[in-house]
């Protein structure tokens, strides 16, 4: 069975035709231009789908960075796509391509992609995937099924108040830009042993530890997977993050039993979209 997974971002648009858990054809192109109307964006998206859609494609899954009415497939207020305030995406694509379409939040799709990457005999019971990038996203998979909440908003823990802002302010790229650094440049310096860079990653790990404690209180997961661009820097902030958790999380056995994984596979969002 072939399914088509689509990951829509403000910068990039990725599509992949998936069979037996493998992407057999894929394209990566720039996303919609800001000045595009809604109809223009949907025409652009449909043109890309036609490039990989083939006879025998049984379903399309789409991940978008927004609030989604999952049942109706309506997308609301998509980040970085001005014309996508209310989009009946499921209806429009089903009408055009004649196959079932599922739509969900991109972090939820990412979570399904990570879950799918675990071996069949080692699937997590409760998996929380935390995406660390420009912002902080989160997806929850319990016994193989997404937990989305009533309004597709479950897991938005990055919005919780923290210090003089929110957890997202301290656990995403903004933390580094506010300190006058680009995260990639900082990582390069850390690899060279620069004390200032290493100290800043320690501080980041401290804040991420606070987020991880919040995740553990909220969902008591068996597994947490860190994903997104900042997860590539895990060796630089792991010790500080774990030290914070040990000091502040009172249920030591829960932390000892917790598995923390890193996922930096660029194909995961598309694979996850194909599974929703």
């Amino acid at each position: 069975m072939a399914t088509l997974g689509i990951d829509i971002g403000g910068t990039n648009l990725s599509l992949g035709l998936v069979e037996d858990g493998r992407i057999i054809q894929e394209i990566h192109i720039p996303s919609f231009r800001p000045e595009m109307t809604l109809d223009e964006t949907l025409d652009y998206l449909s043109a890309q789908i036609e490039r990989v859609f083939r006879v025998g494609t049984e379903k399309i899954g789409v991940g978008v960075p927004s609030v989604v009415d999952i049942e109706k497939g309506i997308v609301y207020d998509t980040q970085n796509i001005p014309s996508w305030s209310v989009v009946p995406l499921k209806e429009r694509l089903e009408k055009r391509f004649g196959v079932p379409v599922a739509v969900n939040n991109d972090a939820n799709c990412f979570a399904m992609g990570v879950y799918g990457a675990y071996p069949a005999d080692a699937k997590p019971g409760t998996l929380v995937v935390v995406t660390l990038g420009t912002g902080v996203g989160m997806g929850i998979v319990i016994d193989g099924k997404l937990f989305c909440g009533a309004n597709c908003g479950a897991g938005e823990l990055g919005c919780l108040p923290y210090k003089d802002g929110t957890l997202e302010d301290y656990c995403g790229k903004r933390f580094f830009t506010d300190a006058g650094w680009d995260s990639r440049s900082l990582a390069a310096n850390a690899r060279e042993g620069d004390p200032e860079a290493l100290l800043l990653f320690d501080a980041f790990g401290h804040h991420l530890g606070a987020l991880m404690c919040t995740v553990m209180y909220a969902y008591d997961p068996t597994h947490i997977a860190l994903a997104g661009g900042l997860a590539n820097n895990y060796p630089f902030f792991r010790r500080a993050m774990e030290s914070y958790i040990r000091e502040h999380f009172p249920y030591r056995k829960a932390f000892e039993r917790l598995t923390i994984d890193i996922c930096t596979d660029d194909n995961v969002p598309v694979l996850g979209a194909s599974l929703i």
Side-chain angles (χ1 to χ4, degrees):
M1 179 180 76
T3 59
L4 177 59
I6 304 172
D7 179 52
I8 297 176
T11 304
N12 297 303
L13 181 64
S14 299
L15 299 87
L17 195 64
V18 179
E19 279 188 354
D20 299 323
R22 295 183 303 106
I23 296 177
I24 60 174
Q25 185 180 355
E26 62 184 315
I27 56 174
H28 304 277
I29 55 173
S31 193
F32 316 120
R33 298 189 306 277
E35 68 274 13
M36 281 182 166
T37 66
L38 174 59
D39 285 337
E40 287 172 339
T41 62
L42 293 178
D43 286 343
Y44 179 78
L45 175 61
S46 296
Q48 310 316 314
I49 293 174
E50 288 171 354
R51 294 173 59 187
V52 293
F53 191 87
R54 69 182 190 188
V55 175
T57 301
E58 297 191 13
K59 187 183 79 171
I60 297 173
V62 189
V64 291
S66 64
V67 173
V68 178
D69 182 325
I70 298 170
E71 182 177 344
K72 296 179 180 179
I74 300 174
V75 175
Y76 297 96
D77 302 319
T78 305
Q79 296 180 32
N80 301 314
I81 306 177
S83 64
W84 281 36
S85 55
V86 180
V87 186
L89 190 59
K90 173 181 170 71
E91 177 186 334
R92 296 285 290 267
L93 292 182
E94 286 185 343
K95 183 177 181 180
R96 183 146 183 174
F97 293 96
V99 298
V101 174
V103 185
N104 211 311
N105 175 267
D106 59 345
N108 288 340
C109 292
F110 205 114
M112 282 304 298
V114 174
Y115 181 83
Y118 283 94
D121 60 350
K123 296 292 187 186
T126 302
L127 169 67
V128 178
V129 178
V130 182
T131 58
L132 304 172
T134 302
V136 175
M138 201 168 296
I140 304 106
V141 182
I142 301 174
D143 295 330
K145 296 182 179 180
L146 274 172
F147 174 67
C148 300
N151 301 291
C152 198
E156 294 296 331
L157 302 185
C159 297
L160 290 175
Y162 179 72
K163 295 189 178 292
D164 59 350
T166 65
L167 280 165
E168 184 172 72
D169 294 329
Y170 287 86
C171 297
K173 289 183 179 179
R174 188 178 308 149
F175 172 73
F176 299 106
T177 57
D178 285 351
W181 281 94
D182 169 82
S183 58
R184 289 188 179 182
S185 300
L186 188 70
N189 283 28
R191 283 191 289 271
E192 296 296 325
D194 177 17
E196 182 182 356
L198 293 171
L199 281 174
L200 193 56
F201 272 121
D202 276 349
F204 176 76
H206 177 93
H207 301 309
L208 188 59
L211 175 61
M212 298 284 275
C213 286
T214 305
V215 170
M216 294 164 71
Y217 281 126
Y219 301 110
D220 190 23
T222 58
H223 294 66
I224 296 176
L226 300 179
L230 292 178
N232 290 294
N233 301 314
Y234 187 56
F236 301 131
F237 60 75
R238 175 180 181 176
R239 185 174 60 181
M241 179 192 76
E242 292 182 348
S243 176
Y244 182 96
I245 297 170
R246 289 192 185 94
E247 182 178 351
H248 292 87
F249 193 73
Y251 309 118
R252 181 164 303 197
K253 279 295 179 184
F255 181 51
E256 290 175 357
R257 293 169 180 167
L258 176 67
T259 298
I260 300 176
D261 294 316
I262 306 300
C263 180
T264 56
D265 186 343
D266 291 339
N267 290 325
V268 165
V270 167
L271 289 170
S274 77
L275 294 172
I276 63 174

